[in-house]
Amino acid sequence: MLLNDAQQEAVNYTQGPCLVLAGAGSGKTRVITAKIIKLIKDNGFLSENICALTFTNKAAEEMKERVRSELGRELSCGLSISTFHSLGLEILKKEYVAAGLTKNFSLFDERDSEKVIRDIIKDDYPALLEIKSEKKAVQDVFSVICNWKSALLSADSVTDEGFNKDIYKIYSNYLTACNAVDFEDLIFKTALLFRENEQIRNKYAERFQYVLVDEYQDTNETQYQLLKFLTSRNQNFTVVGDDDQSIYSWRGARPENLKILSQDFPDLKLIKLEKNYRSTQHILNCANSLISHNQHIFSKKLYTDNASSIKVTVFETKDEEAEAEMVSALAIGYYMENQPCKWNDIAVLYRSNSQSKLYEKKFAEHGVPCFVNGGTSFFNQSEIKDFLCWYRLICNPYDDVALLRVINIPRRGIGHNTIKVLFDNAKQLDISIYECALNQNVTKQLIPRQKQAVLDFVLLITKLRQMLVSEKDLELVSTLPDLLNYSTYLSTIMSKDAVKYRMANVKELSDMMSDCINGKYSDEKLSFIEAVDKIGIREMLTKNQNSEENDAVQLMTLHASKGLEFPKVFLVGMEEGSLPHKNSIPSQENHFADNISEERRLAYVGITRARQDLSLLYVKQRIRAGIVSGVEKSRFLKELPDASIMFFKEGETPKLSREQKINFFEQAVKELGG
C-alpha cells in the first residue's frame, strides 16, 4: 500500500515507544494495518505476539480484514486485533480463578447493572428517590461507579464518603454473588489482576511483544494502566491518536494521557500525520482555525492536495423551523445537482438528540428519506433480550438478572409471590435464586402449585444444560425456541403478524449464534459459551451497524459522527447554549462548568466529517421551555477564517419553490418506476 513520508516513518519505527499524532482523515487505520503487516513480514514477529486494540468492533474487524487480505489466513492466524473489552474478556476467561471468579461467569450489560442498582436504592436508600426521579437516581449512581472503575478505583479504594461508595460496595458484592462482571469490569478487573499478580502480568507481557492502540486520546486511566502492564517487559508499542478529537471526557477519557505518555516514556518517538485525504482545503482551513483556540500538548496543522474552490457556507435563519426547512431545501438541491448521488451521502449533525425531531418532520414533508442514527437497536428488541438471557442462564444458572427476566417467559405459573419467596431467601442466605429453587428448606415455603412450577423450571434448565454438557451446541441453539414454546407464548400476547416479525428476529439471533459456533467470525470454531460471550460483546459495542446501508439522509449527534465521513455535511444549531452546550458554559447558576475546549473539539469533529461540501447553520431565536427567545450565534463561528466561508443572512437563503417541489417529486416517482 502506498504511504506518504510521515506514514512510512510511523510504519518503519518498530523499536521502542511511539506516538503517532494522526489528524482527522490522515490515514491512521492504513498506518496501523501497514505496521502490523511489516512487523510480521519484515521484522520477524509472530502474529500471536502482536496485540492491536481499538474501541469498536467495526474498527477491529476492518483492521483484521485488511491484514488478512495482505498476509493471508495462515500468517495472520493468532493475531489479536480487538477492542479493549474483548481482550479483557479473553483474559478473564483464562484467568478467572486469579480474578476471583468461577468458570462461565456472566456478563451484565447496562440494563442489568441499572436494574441491580435500582433495587439497591429502593431497598437501602429510598430517600434518594425523594430528591430525584428513579431513572435519574439510578443513572447518576451508575455513572459515578463507571467513572471510578475507569479511574481504576475499587469500592474499597474510593476516598469519597457517602451513599455512592456504599452502593458501589453492595453492587460489587452482588456481582460476585451472581458470578458476574459488568462491561466496565472487563478492563477494570483485568488491570487490577495485572497490577496485583506479577506472574500473570509477565505472562501476557511476554506473549504480546508489540502492542498497538488506536484512538489513544479516548483512553481512560484504567486503559492506560493496562497498556503499561502489557508493555512492561519491552516497551515496544505504537499508540495512534489525536487530542483534537477527544470528546468523551464524560465517560472517563483523558486526552492528557498523551502528555503522561511522554513523561512515563522519555524515549517516546513522536510522528505527526498532518496530510488529510478526506476534505477540501477550505474545510481544513476552518478546522485548523477553530481548533487553534484550544491549548495543545502537541501542535499540528492539517493540509491537503484537494484545492477545491467550494467554500464553507454559513446560513443565518429566523428560527428552528426555518433552519430545518433550509436544510431540506439544500439537501434536495445537493442531491439533484450531484447525480449520481445517494441520500446517505448527506449527513445532518447536531449537538443533542432532541434536535432530530424537526428534521425528521421536514424531510418527511418533502419526501426525503432519512435515518436517525441512534434508533432502537436489534439487541434492544424484547424477544432478543429474552433469548440473550436464556443463553446466559444456560451458561450460568447463578445469573440472577438473567433468571429473573425469563423465569416466567414463556409463562409457566411462577408469579410475583413465588418470585418474592425465592428472592427474599436468596438475599437472606446470600446465595443465588437458582440455588434457592434447589433448596428444599426454601421451596417448602411454597404451596404445591408454586412448588411444581419452580420444579418444572429447574428441570427445563437442567435439560438445556445437559445439552451443553453433551456438546450439542448447534442443536441447543436451533431447538431452543421450540423447547421454550416461544412462538405459542407470543401468540397469546400479540397479533399473528407481530409474532411472525418477532420470530424472524429470533431466527436471526439463532443464525448469528450458529455462525459464531461454526467459526464465521473468528479463526476457529467456538463453543456455545464462547459464542454467548461474543454475542454479548457485540451487543454492547455495536450500535446502528446498518445505518450506513440505508439510502437515507443520516441524522446523528456529533458524538455519533466520530469516525464517519460524508460528501455533504450540515452542522446545525450553531448557537451559544446549543454548541457550545449550555452545560459547558460558566454561569451564575453553574459556576463550575467550563468545558468549552471539549465543545470546540466536538465542533472540530463535525467540520472534519465533510469531504466536499460543508454548511453551518444557526438561528436568531429558538423555542426553549415553550418560550421564544433570542439566541446568540456560536462563538465557534466567529473563530472561522473569513477567506474560507460564504455567509448568508436571513432572507438571502434559497427556498424550494412549488415548481421545484413538483419537479423533484416527478423525478422521484420516475426513478421508482411509478
Side-chain angles (χ1 to χ4, degrees):
M1 55 183 76
L2 295 175
L3 302 171
N4 64 36
D5 291 344
Q7 291 173 330
Q8 192 64 59
E9 182 184 9
V11 169
N12 290 341
Y13 190 84
T14 57
Q15 295 298 318
C18 178
L19 166 62
V20 179
L21 198 66
S26 61
K28 65 180 178 64
T29 303
R30 177 185 295 184
V31 167
I32 294 172
T33 52
K35 191 157 193 171
I36 293 171
I37 292 166
K38 181 176 178 61
L39 288 169
I40 295 172
K41 288 182 70 174
D42 301 336
N43 293 78
F45 284 85
L46 298 176
S47 58
E48 57 263 33
N49 296 138
I50 297 173
C51 175
L53 297 170
T54 186
F55 282 83
T56 66
N57 277 326
K58 183 178 178 181
E61 291 300 328
E62 182 182 346
M63 286 185 201
K64 281 182 187 176
E65 187 55 40
R66 289 193 191 185
V67 172
R68 188 175 291 154
S69 64
E70 179 72 21
L71 293 179
R73 182 173 289 272
E74 185 175 346
L75 272 181
S76 60
C77 183
L79 180 65
S80 179
I81 301 180
S82 71
T83 63
F84 277 94
H85 294 91
S86 294
L87 177 68
L89 178 62
E90 176 192 335
I91 293 171
L92 291 179
K93 281 289 180 181
K94 292 177 180 176
E95 315 296 344
Y96 62 88
V97 175
L101 299 163
T102 58
K103 196 173 183 181
N104 300 337
F105 59 84
S106 292
L107 176 58
F108 279 22
D109 65 13
E110 186 174 326
R111 297 182 299 274
D112 300 329
S113 297
E114 288 186 346
K115 184 184 184 304
V116 174
I117 291 171
R118 183 180 296 109
D119 290 341
I120 294 171
I121 291 174
K122 285 181 175 179
D123 289 346
D124 301 316
Y125 298 91
L128 269 179
L129 304 180
E130 298 174 8
I131 304 170
K132 305 175 182 178
S133 69
E134 180 182 293
K135 182 178 180 180
K136 185 74 165 60
V138 171
Q139 289 177 341
D140 286 352
V141 171
F142 185 49
S143 177
V144 170
I145 292 174
C146 288
N147 285 337
W148 278 334
K149 290 186 178 183
S150 295
L152 202 54
L153 294 172
S154 65
D156 292 329
S157 60
V158 169
T159 56
D160 297 33
E161 296 296 335
F163 64 85
N164 282 327
K165 179 178 180 178
D166 295 338
I167 295 174
Y168 187 11
K169 284 186 176 181
I170 298 170
Y171 172 68
S172 298
N173 291 338
Y174 184 91
L175 289 179
T176 301
C178 290
N179 188 32
V181 297
D182 66 20
F183 195 51
E184 297 299 327
D185 280 335
L186 296 179
I187 306 173
F188 173 69
K189 282 187 173 292
T190 303
L192 285 182
L193 178 64
F194 284 175
R195 187 176 72 182
E196 296 166 4
N197 192 313
E198 183 180 4
Q199 182 180 357
I200 291 177
R201 178 174 70 245
N202 290 339
K203 171 183 174 181
Y204 286 91
E206 289 173 6
R207 173 187 167 187
F208 295 128
Q209 296 171 17
Y210 204 98
V211 178
L212 304 97
V213 179
D214 188 18
E215 303 287 6
Y216 175 73
Q217 77 283 346
D218 291 337
T219 55
N220 55 39
E221 172 66 14
T222 300
Q223 289 161 334
Y224 178 57
Q225 292 302 323
L226 185 63
L227 169 66
K228 289 178 68 176
F229 292 139
L230 287 173
T231 60
S232 58
R233 300 287 285 185
N234 51 47
Q235 297 188 1
N236 279 338
F237 66 81
T238 295
V239 298
V240 182
D242 180 8
D243 54 342
D244 290 334
Q245 296 187 74
S246 180
I247 58 174
Y248 296 115
S249 65
W250 48 275
R251 68 182 189 197
R254 305 194 319 161
E256 58 267 31
N257 279 353
L258 289 162
K259 182 178 181 180
I260 294 171
L261 190 72
S262 62
Q263 295 170 347
D264 288 349
F265 299 92
D267 297 330
L268 182 72
K269 173 74 170 178
L270 173 65
I271 300 171
K272 299 179 183 180
L273 303 185
E274 298 173 292
K275 184 172 183 178
N276 178 282
Y277 292 90
R278 176 188 300 158
S279 307
T280 68
Q281 191 60 56
H282 281 306
I283 292 172
L284 296 183
N285 289 343
C286 289
N288 288 331
S289 179
L290 173 71
I291 208 64
S292 68
H293 289 77
N294 274 4
Q295 292 185 343
H296 284 83
I297 302 167
F298 305 106
S299 62
K300 69 177 182 307
K301 190 173 183 178
L302 298 179
Y303 68 94
T304 181
D305 292 336
N306 185 355
S308 170
S309 61
I310 301 175
K311 292 187 177 184
V312 173
T313 49
V314 179
F315 294 101
E316 173 191 79
T317 61
K318 178 184 176 183
D319 53 26
E320 54 261 60
E321 186 88 16
E323 182 186 59
E325 178 71 29
M326 171 59 55
V327 170
S328 299
L330 293 171
I332 291 172
Y334 181 86
Y335 179 81
M336 295 176 69
E337 293 169 12
N338 289 274
Q339 296 297 325
C341 177
K342 294 182 178 179
W343 284 116
N344 62 12
D345 288 339
I346 304 169
V348 180
L349 311 182
Y350 37 79
R351 178 63 177 84
S352 303
N353 274 309
S354 59
Q355 293 172 263
S356 69
K357 294 179 182 178
L358 192 54
Y359 291 92
E360 290 182 85
K361 176 175 176 288
K362 283 296 177 185
F363 282 131
E365 288 176 1
H366 293 303
V368 175
C370 68
F371 178 85
V372 180
N373 189 311
T376 302
S377 157
F378 171 76
F379 291 105
N380 275 331
Q381 304 290 337
S382 62
E383 64 278 8
I384 301 304
K385 292 180 186 178
D386 290 344
F387 273 84
L388 288 175
C389 283
W390 268 110
Y391 292 159
R392 283 166 46 183
L393 193 62
I394 293 168
C395 296
N396 174 20
Y398 308 113
D399 185 338
D400 281 357
V401 172
L403 182 144
L404 285 170
R405 179 176 180 92
V406 301
I407 194 169
N408 210 31
I409 296 179
R411 291 171 182 159
R412 53 180 55 84
I414 299 179
H416 174 74
N417 291 332
T418 307
I419 294 172
K420 188 175 188 307
V421 170
L422 296 175
F423 185 82
D424 288 347
N425 277 276
K427 191 173 181 181
Q428 182 180 347
L429 299 172
D430 197 22
I431 60 177
S432 71
I433 294 174
Y434 179 72
E435 289 171 294
C436 281
L438 298 173
N439 189 319
Q440 291 183 357
N441 290 327
V442 174
T443 55
K444 72 181 181 181
Q445 301 171 33
L446 303 172
I447 62 176
R449 176 176 51 80
Q450 294 172 329
K451 190 173 181 179
Q452 185 60 49
V454 170
L455 176 61
D456 290 344
F457 180 62
V458 169
L459 291 174
L460 175 60
I461 294 177
T462 303
K463 178 180 179 180
L464 297 174
R465 284 182 56 77
Q466 184 57 48
M467 294 178 71
L468 197 64
V469 172
S470 303
E471 298 184 353
K472 297 179 180 179
D473 294 3
L474 286 172
E475 182 183 344
L476 175 57
V477 171
S478 63
T479 60
L480 184 60
D482 290 335
L483 291 172
L484 296 178
N485 291 318
Y486 196 77
S487 178
T488 303
Y489 156 69
L490 289 181
S491 66
T492 65
I493 59 175
M494 59 184 64
S495 68
K496 184 181 293 186
D497 288 341
V499 171
K500 186 177 180 181
Y501 170 78
R502 302 288 183 179
M503 290 307 297
N505 281 344
V506 171
K507 175 67 164 55
E508 186 174 345
L509 180 65
S510 299
D511 289 345
M512 199 181 296
M513 277 287 292
S514 298
D515 286 342
C516 283
I517 292 170
N518 286 322
K520 182 175 180 180
Y521 303 118
S522 58
D523 293 326
E524 56 186 14
K525 293 185 176 182
L526 303 180
S527 68
F528 180 89
I529 293 172
E530 290 169 332
V532 172
D533 289 336
K534 192 168 189 68
I535 295 294
I537 288 287
R538 176 174 296 210
E539 174 201 4
M540 293 180 215
L541 286 175
T542 305
K543 295 183 185 295
N544 310 302
Q545 253 187 339
N546 298 321
S547 64
E548 59 196 46
E549 297 175 10
N550 294 304
D551 189 16
V553 175
Q554 303 290 297
L555 306 179
M556 67 186 73
T557 64
L558 288 162
H559 284 99
S561 73
K562 189 166 180 290
L564 304 177
E565 58 183 70
F566 305 91
K568 172 64 180 177
V569 168
F570 295 97
L571 180 45
V572 303
M574 294 284 289
E575 309 105 34
E576 293 290 297
S578 293
L579 186 64
H581 194 275
K582 62 181 179 180
N583 291 342
S584 70
I585 304 172
S587 65
Q588 290 183 339
E589 298 79 20
N590 199 4
H591 297 285
F592 300 104
D594 188 7
N595 208 11
I596 298 300
S597 293
E598 179 149 331
E599 292 292 299
R600 187 177 283 111
R601 293 195 291 269
L602 203 51
Y604 174 87
V605 165
I607 287 172
T608 53
R609 298 312 93 196
R611 293 211 302 258
Q612 303 165 0
D613 201 333
L614 172 65
S615 294
L616 311 174
L617 293 93
Y618 71 95
V619 302
K620 294 168 67 177
Q621 61 184 37
R622 193 173 283 276
I623 299 175
R624 287 176 177 161
I627 300 172
V628 178
S629 57
V631 290
E632 183 182 352
K633 72 178 181 180
S634 173
R635 68 190 71 190
F636 301 150
L637 290 174
K638 302 171 187 176
E639 296 171 357
L640 305 181
D642 292 338
S644 287
I645 64 173
M646 291 180 62
F647 177 68
F648 293 89
K649 289 185 177 181
E650 180 193 357
E652 297 177 347
T653 51
K655 295 182 179 179
L656 283 180
S657 67
R658 183 174 181 276
E659 183 179 352
Q660 285 176 313
K661 290 181 183 179
I662 292 172
N663 289 339
F664 173 73
F665 284 118
E666 286 179 348
Q667 178 184 340
V669 170
K670 185 177 180 181
E671 289 176 356
L672 291 170

